[in-house]
Each structure stands twice: as structure tokens, then as C-alpha cells.
Amino acid sequence: MSSSDSIDAPTDIPDRPERSSGLDPVIAEAVDGVTNRFGAEGLEQMIGYAEKSLAEARAALEQLTAE
């Protein structure tokens, strides 16, 4: 493929709505990616996994602060 054959991104894609100021763009991209690929069911699975990971991270932090 020559440089003149490059594919340009479409320009008619609407901008994403503004995210709350404290949200890291990588987190937003991960959530949007799961939602777009797997729909509500996939997002529910992601949230369940995230809640379990959050509980483990909080427990680890609690253990570190108790030492």
C-alpha cells in the first residue's frame, strides 16, 4: 500500500459527550469499548469483576495501613 492509498478516519463521527473532570480517559475508553463490543450484558460483567477487584484492592490497602 502506498502513502497515497492511506485510509483516512471518517470526519462525520460525532464527538463524545464530555466526561466528568476526574475520570481518566483510559478508564472511559475501557468502559466505552466493553459497552460498544459486548453491550449491557458485557458491561454488567465488567462491573461485577471491577467490584470484586475493588474489594481486593481495598483489603490489600487496609492490610498495608494496619502494619
Side-chain angles (χ1 to χ4, degrees), residues 35-66:
T35 303
N36 291 337
R37 183 168 180 181
F38 301 104
E41 185 176 334
L43 188 56
E44 288 172 346
Q45 290 177 2
M46 181 180 193
I47 291 168
Y49 180 76
E51 287 173 341
K52 187 165 66 169
S53 295
L54 178 59
E56 292 171 0
R58 284 181 173 158
L61 181 60
E62 182 74 24
Q63 186 176 14
L64 286 174
T65 58

Side-chain angles (χ1 to χ4, degrees), residues 2-37:
S2 70
S3 61
S4 63
D5 293 338
S6 65
I7 299 172
D8 293 325
T11 57
D12 59 346
I13 297 174
D15 292 333
R16 290 184 184 199
E18 286 295 316
R19 297 269 180 196
S20 45
S21 60
L23 184 62
D24 187 299
V26 175
I27 295 170
E29 183 178 337
V31 172
D32 291 344
V34 168
T35 303
N36 291 337
R37 183 168 180 181

